[in-house]
Amino acid sequence: MQDILFKTEEFVFSYRIQGVLVRDGKALLQRAGEDYALIGGHVAAFETTKETLVREFKEEIHADIKVDELIGVGEVFFPWGNRPCHQIGLYYTVHLLDESQIPLDGVFHGYDDLGGERIDLDFCWVPLEELSHINLYPPQMVPHVLSGSNEVLHFVYRE
């Protein structure tokens, strides 16, 4: 299936879904260099957003999850290489179905495949109180995750 990710000479459009997994006061994040993001990926054509999250968690960290509540909708604008990107992002709370599938503390390794390019990633359990001290994108989700609110947050982020 093809991801809903369009690239032209002038811009990129991305439809990305991310999961907020919090356990024992820590959030599971992916890290590439110094930047952190919630785990997720691009929706494939004719795939639901919940199916996307289940697939992405299985591909990236080999874990089975259940998708819970929609907690965020983001209109995110950032540079993608030398082109501007317009991304629509949905954010859901999720939980593990089998906690024995991944380490429940520390850092472990995985990778993602974006357009045929392998990207090595570290997956980190980050204490919630440290989220405001790291580069977590998009930053608008940090206070929302910390609040534990299940209300749907709509935000616009421009980098």
Side-chain angles (χ1 to χ4, degrees), residues 56-128:
E56 288 290 340
F57 271 77
K58 190 67 168 178
E59 288 175 0
E60 293 182 9
I61 64 171
H62 311 291
D64 296 309
I65 62 159
K66 181 174 186 313
V67 180
D68 299 315
E69 302 294 323
L70 176 69
I71 61 165
V73 176
E75 299 175 59
V76 182
F77 301 88
F78 63 97
W80 184 302
N82 60 355
R83 293 174 281 189
C85 180
H86 180 165
Q87 182 176 85
I88 301 299
L90 301 182
Y91 304 83
Y92 288 90
T93 56
V94 302
H95 69 270
L96 294 169
L97 291 177
D98 181 353
E99 293 188 343
S100 70
Q101 292 178 316
I102 62 170
L104 298 177
D105 202 5
V107 177
F108 58 100
H109 308 287
Y111 68 92
D112 194 6
D113 179 50
L114 187 58
E117 178 184 347
R118 180 183 166 124
I119 301 167
D120 291 317
L121 298 168
D122 290 332
F123 294 94
C124 315
W125 287 99
V126 177
L128 294 177

Side-chain angles (χ1 to χ4, degrees), residues 2 12 15 18-19 24 48 56-57 61-62 68 72 91 96 100 111 117 128 147 149 152 154 156-157:
Q2 181 171 343
V12 175
Y15 181 28
Q18 297 174 65
D24 293 336
T48 69
E56 288 290 340
F57 271 77
I61 64 171
H62 311 291
D68 299 315
Y91 304 83
L96 294 169
S100 70
Y111 68 92
E117 178 184 347
L128 294 177
S147 75
S149 172
V152 178
H154 171 255
V156 175
Y157 172 67

